[in-house]
Amino acid sequence: MSIHIDAKTDEIADLVLLPGDPLRARFIAENLLTSAAQYNTVRNMLGYTGVFNGKRVSVQGTGMGIPSISIYVNELFRDFGVRRAIRIGTAGSIQSDIKIRDIVMAVSACTDSAANGIRFGGRSYAPAASFKLLRTAYDIAEAKGCKPFVGTVVSTDMFYSEDPDEWKLWAKFGCLAVEMECAELYTLAAKYRREALAILTISDSLVSGELTGALERETSFTRMAEIALETVVS
Ligand code: HPA
């Protein structure tokens, strides 16, 4: 048991999927896992453990933003011995060729968050994915007929930025999409020597202003969750 996760150590698998939305954790448990049991309800940040392709897998909601995911991932790595963690979430495209419903796999994450500034005393750290997980996830996605974009994302603290054009600087330097958690997941995976990856579906485009509807979001979420599940048990 940890401060924010009310589970016994063996109730959480060492392979974990991390959706931001706790209701997405429930959706995966109910639709994609077998024998799923809920282990956490603290703050309604739902967590479940079930079975996928014969292996135990947990799905834990993380909430939105770096401070929130930092709490859950710290506790999963430090207190529950989680070995592999795959974030599945949404992101806003900042490149014109990346459209809504496309999948982005994050090689690395830039960030405007204060977290790594505090952690590294103002030095710049380069949070990066597990190459092994990334390669596996890419191959699984391709075999399903989908062609993910692979590159750097931006983990921002400001969904509602004061400067509506801020994303253009990141776009100019080749970043693919904006989200709010990846940099912290990758940094913690490096600290604890664990494997991590973020697989993101594009829910909106800052370039075109396009947004996905609720039904489309559910369909693309399911496809991404299946890729993540096959990857995490690989
Ligand atoms: N900005 C930040 N985070 C996001 C976005 C966005 O446009 N879309 C989905 N997550």
Side-chain angles (χ1 to χ4, degrees):
M1 188 184 158
S2 61
I3 295 176
H4 302 88
I5 304 176
D6 185 17
K8 298 190 189 74
T9 313
D10 62 358
E11 284 180 312
I12 301 184
D14 62 356
L15 312 174
V16 176
L17 257 50
L18 300 170
D21 179 353
L23 294 180
R24 297 290 192 193
R26 184 162 81 192
F27 177 87
I28 292 171
E30 289 175 352
N31 295 286
L32 302 175
L33 302 182
T34 53
S35 318
Q38 185 176 274
Y39 61 74
N40 192 53
T41 58
V42 177
R43 289 178 183 256
N44 281 329
M45 204 56 86
L46 307 176
Y48 300 82
T49 298
V51 174
F52 183 81
N53 284 359
K55 294 206 176 140
R56 283 177 85 228
V57 176
S58 295
V59 194
Q60 172 65 53
T62 65
M64 288 180 282
I66 280 178
S68 186
I69 196 172
S70 184
I71 286 172
Y72 294 99
V73 170
N74 261 294
E75 293 180 16
L76 289 170
F77 285 160
R78 189 192 59 195
D79 303 322
F80 292 93
V82 165
R83 185 166 59 85
R84 271 190 177 170
I86 302 185
R87 162 166 155 67
I88 42 175
T90 56
S93 168
I94 56 173
Q95 298 292 341
S96 56
D97 58 335
I98 304 182
K99 314 282 190 201
I100 57 170
R101 294 184 297 278
D102 282 343
I103 288 184
V104 169
M105 296 183 178
V107 170
S108 58
C110 302
T111 186
D112 57 24
S113 168
N116 273 352
I118 297 166
R119 195 178 265 131
F120 293 101
R123 297 168 187 87
S124 175
Y125 178 73
S130 149
F131 175 69
K132 190 171 148 195
L133 283 186
L134 177 60
R135 184 166 65 175
T136 304
Y138 187 88
D139 289 346
I140 289 169
E142 240 191 350
K144 289 182 184 296
C146 107
K147 188 106 182 90
F149 289 85
V150 179
T152 300
V153 301
V154 182
S155 300
T156 184
D157 275 356
M158 302 287 279
F159 188 91
Y160 297 109
S161 172
E162 292 300 327
D163 173 6
D165 287 333
E166 197 183 321
W167 61 271
K168 290 180 181 168
L169 178 65
W170 296 114
K172 181 174 161 187
F173 282 80
C175 297
L176 306 185
V178 188
E179 54 84 74
M180 302 185 73
E181 295 84 15
C182 185
E184 183 70 2
L185 171 63
Y186 288 0
T187 302
L188 290 171
K191 174 179 172 182
Y192 290 98
R193 301 286 194 272
R194 312 295 160 83
E195 294 175 289
L197 177 66
I199 305 177
L200 307 160
T201 53
I202 298 299
S203 58
D204 57 293
S205 168
L206 282 76
V207 182
S208 69
E210 260 187 307
L211 282 172
T212 39
L215 184 64
E216 289 175 303
R217 275 204 300 278
E218 184 160 316
T219 313
S220 17
F221 179 80
T222 304
R223 186 182 54 156
M224 172 174 63
E226 285 166 350
I227 295 167
L229 280 168
E230 287 180 32
T231 304
V232 87
V233 301
S234 65

